[in-house]
Amino acid sequence: MIAAIGLMVGAYIITRMTAMLTRPDSSKVVRVLCVLTIAVSLMSCLFMLTGGGAAKF
């Protein structure tokens, strides 16, 4: 159950950062931080999927 919640939070973070990337008024610094946040979220979700707690859905 905890892994499912973690994946939902990760999907929400990726969705919000993608929305921020597509805004025309965001600066380059914000875009770089969005890309970094998306990368960390994807790696964390992948770790949750392949880690020990992921099989307990």
Side-chain angles (χ1 to χ4, degrees):
M1 182 71 175
I2 302 262
I5 294 170
L7 291 174
M8 290 188 312
V9 170
Y12 175 76
I13 291 171
I14 292 168
T15 303
R16 292 294 294 167
M17 291 299 110
T18 303
M20 179 101 42
L21 273 175
T22 59
R23 291 176 65 184
D25 60 340
S26 60
S27 67
K28 290 182 182 181
V29 174
V30 171
R31 290 177 189 246
V32 169
L33 291 175
C34 286
V35 170
L36 287 173
T37 304
I38 289 171
V40 170
S41 295
L42 285 174
M43 288 178 9
S44 299
C45 287
L46 182 65
F47 178 73
M48 277 190 277
L49 283 173
T50 60
K56 300 177 183 175
F57 278 111

